[in-house]
């Protein structure tokens, strides 16, 4: 079955420093991430004819991608700012692939960066993100982002008997992986017991169940298949993509225990002609520990309600059947906002190229990347394949 | 109290909800074609697409779908309230509401708990609150 995805490949990935990066503005982080990804691809700025960005929470502007292009001193024919929350990266990569597949562009850069930790600060970031609640019907209750996710977790526990000790184990395993990644924000040892002993933020979620607030940026370069053939790194093909956008405000969701991953995942698998058992490594957006368990279920890696057991049985460890978040996940690699999804993509690309050093999954040929935005509201799944 | 004081950033489309709150009523938008109830207000029914919509008072009762206890406030204006329980409540009439649970200790809120809905003033606004009721 032919697809627009056949005509392009991911040819470059790059990140800036992630964590606290006090000497960089959001736009500088964009520029550095783009430079790193183009260097990785063996391309120059002048080769880029498409640029997609997703704005900055710290330094909001009206036409963000145009501001970035102007800062770079390069003016691609196609420049676009997009936003689908935490799943923006899948939507943006799908868009870039479509522009290449349609013959409109040859080399498209998707870049995202922000300096939430030092540019905005944690308290202001928490307050800013809480505005996701409906201004009239939700905001007056004072819900934080962790509180809204906590209500999903509570219902998940209620319906499926999910266990907070399994959630804590997700954070432990992410940290184990982050300890093997020199650029991860958090690399000190962390155990599930540490997570269970950290203070409650919004029951049942504890501080170490929650993603940090970080600075940093990432970029991904897509090129036409013809162009990709001449570049130094092996092209990584996008063999499947799926999206689902079910709601924006939490009170408008129906069943909170089955997420849009149960739609976006199967769509991506159908496009790729693969089953979950054929995936070698997965990157799953876990801004809160428990959502990794739910997404593993909804993506079809285990039965509904079996996510905790799947993690407990060791499947998601580097030595397991399906290593997950080998870079440390959202919880330990870092979370500057929208760039976070691109970190999942770049880690998957490095695994498929065999460049993941101490955290390499031997012989990885297929990878799944899943991310979500809002309160599990928008979902995007990519399936990637190496050319090794 | 004027509408503007009692309605948190209410667009005109949602004013009947806040007018109801002032009158001590829980009002939802009702589709005259299929009977679907919805909140927030739209120009058409999201269930059948019907455009004939009215506002109707419904029984102020529901069931806790899920809840949490906020231990760290989003902004300074909520700092004095922590810990406070927030619930998602499925109204008997259909729509889901978010609000504080009052009238019981924070650790006694449970999924499935039947609650009543009332409106209480908070910093110049009227906001929906849930109180436990005997089932």
């Amino acid at each position: 079955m032919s697809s627009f995805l056949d005509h392009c490949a991911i040819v470059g990935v790059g990140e800036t420093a992630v964590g606290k990066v006090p000497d960089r503005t959001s736009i500088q982080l964009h520029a550095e991430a783009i430079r790193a990804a183009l260097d990785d691809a063996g391309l120059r700025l002048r080769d880029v004819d498409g640029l997609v960005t997703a704005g900055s929470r710290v330094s909001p502007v009206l036409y963000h991608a145009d501001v970035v292009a102007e800062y770079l001193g390069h003016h691609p024919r196609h420049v676009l700012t997009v936003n689908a929350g935490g799943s923006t990266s899948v939507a943006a990569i799908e868009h870039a692939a479509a522009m290449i597949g349609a013959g409109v562009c040859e080399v498209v850069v998707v870049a995202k960066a922000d300096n939430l930790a030092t540019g905005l600060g944690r308290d202001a970031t928490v307050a800013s993100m809480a505005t996701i609640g409906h201004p009239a019907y939700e905001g007056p209750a004072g819900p934080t982002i962790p509180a809204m996710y906590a209500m999903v977790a509570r219902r998940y526990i209620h319906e499926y008997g999910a266990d907070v000790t399994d959630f804590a184990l997700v954070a432990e395993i992410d940290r184990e992986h982050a300890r093997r990644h020199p650029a991860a924000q958090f690399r000190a040892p962390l155990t599930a017991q540490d997570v269970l002993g950290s203070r409650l933020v919004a029951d049942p979620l504890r501080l170490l169940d929650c993603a940090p607030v970080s600075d940093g940026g990432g970029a991904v370069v897509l090129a036409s298949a013809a162009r990709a053939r001449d570049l130094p790194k092996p092209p990584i093909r996008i063999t499947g993509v799926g999206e689902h956008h079910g709601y924006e405000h939490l009170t408008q969701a129906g069943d909170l225990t089955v997420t849009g991953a149960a739609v976006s995942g199967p769509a991506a698998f159908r496009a790729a002609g693969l089953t979950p058992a054929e995936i070698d490594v997965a990157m799953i957006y876990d801004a809160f520990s428990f959502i990794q368990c739910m997404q593993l279920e909804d993506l079809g890696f285990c039965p509904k309600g079996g996510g905790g057991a799947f993690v407990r049985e060791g499947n998601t460890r580097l030595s397991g059947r399906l290593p997950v978040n080998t870079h440390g996940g959202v919880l330990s690699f870092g979370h500057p906002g929208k760039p976070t999804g691109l970190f999942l993509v770049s880690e998957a690309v490095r695994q498929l190229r065999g460049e993941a050093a101490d955290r390499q999954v031997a012989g990885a040929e297929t990878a799944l990347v899943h991310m979500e935005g809002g309160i599990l509201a928008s979902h995007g799944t990519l399936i990637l394949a190496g050319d090794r | 109290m004027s509408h503007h004081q009692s309605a948190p950033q209410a667009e005109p489309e949602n004013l009947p909800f806040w007018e109801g709150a002032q009158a001590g009523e829980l009002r939802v938008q009702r589709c005259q074609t299929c009977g679907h109830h919805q909140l927030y207000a739209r120009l058409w029914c999201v269930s059948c697409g019907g455009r004939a919509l009215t506002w109707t008072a419904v029984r102020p009762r529901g069931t806790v779908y899920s809840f949490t206890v906020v231990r760290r406030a989003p902004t300074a204006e909520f700092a004095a309230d922590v810990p406070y329980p927030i619930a998602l409540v499925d109204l008997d009439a259909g729509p889901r509401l978010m609000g504080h649970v009052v009238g019981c200790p924070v650790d006694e809120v449970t999924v499935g708990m039947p609650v009543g809905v009332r409106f209480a003033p908070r910093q110049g606004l009227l906001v929906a609150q849930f109180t436990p009721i005997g089932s």
Side-chain angles (χ1 to χ4, degrees), chain A residues 123 137 141-142 151 203 252 256, chain B residues 14 66 68 71-72 84 100:
Chain A
D123 288 354
Y137 290 97
M151 288 192 276
D203 314 24
Q252 301 297 315
L256 285 178
Chain B
N14 283 292
S66 194
T68 185
R71 312 269 172 181
R72 186 176 189 281
Y84 54 91
H100 289 187

Side-chain angles (χ1 to χ4, degrees), chain A residues 295-373:
Chain A
Q295 308 292 271
L296 284 165
E297 298 164 7
D298 292 343
L299 292 165
F301 292 112
C302 57
K304 194 63 200 169
F310 188 81
V311 171
R312 202 181 324 129
E313 289 158 5
N315 293 299
T316 62
R317 294 181 187 272
L318 263 186
S319 56
R321 181 156 66 84
L322 180 78
V324 173
N325 291 350
T326 52
H327 65 316
V330 181
L331 290 170
S332 281
F333 187 82
H335 187 25
K338 283 186 282 270
T340 307
L342 288 181
F343 301 155
L344 305 184
V345 176
S346 55
E347 178 69 1
V349 165
R350 293 200 176 99
Q351 285 287 354
L352 297 174
R353 287 176 179 169
E355 292 179 345
D358 285 351
R359 52 188 203 285
Q360 181 64 46
V361 174
E365 290 178 358
T366 58
L368 175 141
V369 178
H370 181 80
M371 56 195 84
E372 59 91 13

Side-chain angles (χ1 to χ4, degrees), chain B residues 13-128:
Chain B
E13 202 172 20
N14 283 292
L15 271 180
F17 180 84
W18 306 103
E19 288 168 348
Q22 281 189 305
E25 282 186 358
L26 176 59
R27 292 180 188 165
V28 301
Q29 205 180 28
R30 175 182 171 81
C31 173
Q32 292 183 310
T33 307
C34 76
H36 177 71
H37 289 166
Q38 62 189 20
L39 284 177
Y40 49 92
R42 273 89 154 185
L43 283 174
W44 53 79
C45 170
V46 295
S47 183
C48 78
R51 295 191 173 224
L53 299 161
T54 54
W55 285 86
T56 185
V58 296
R59 192 174 177 227
R61 283 188 67 147
T63 306
V64 172
Y65 176 78
S66 194
F67 70 95
T68 185
V69 178
V70 177
R71 312 269 172 181
R72 186 176 189 281
T75 55
E77 63 177 309
F78 288 96
D81 296 314
V82 293
Y84 54 91
I86 294 182
L88 290 169
V89 166
D90 286 339
L91 298 175
D92 293 354
R96 188 172 286 171
L97 286 180
M98 181 187 291
H100 289 187
V101 182
V102 298
C104 72
V106 295
D107 56 356
E108 288 184 10
V109 182
T110 57
V111 173
M113 186 167 85
V115 292
V117 185
R118 68 180 195 191
F119 291 91
R122 183 193 158 82
Q123 296 177 356
L125 310 174
L126 279 178
V127 299

Side-chain angles (χ1 to χ4, degrees), chain A residues 42-59:
Chain A
L43 289 166
R44 312 278 290 269
L45 204 48
R46 64 168 179 259
D47 298 316
V48 176
D49 59 4
L51 174 67
V52 182
T53 73
S56 161
R57 202 187 298 272
V58 180
S59 311

Side-chain angles (χ1 to χ4, degrees), chain A residues 26 267 282:
Chain A
S26 170

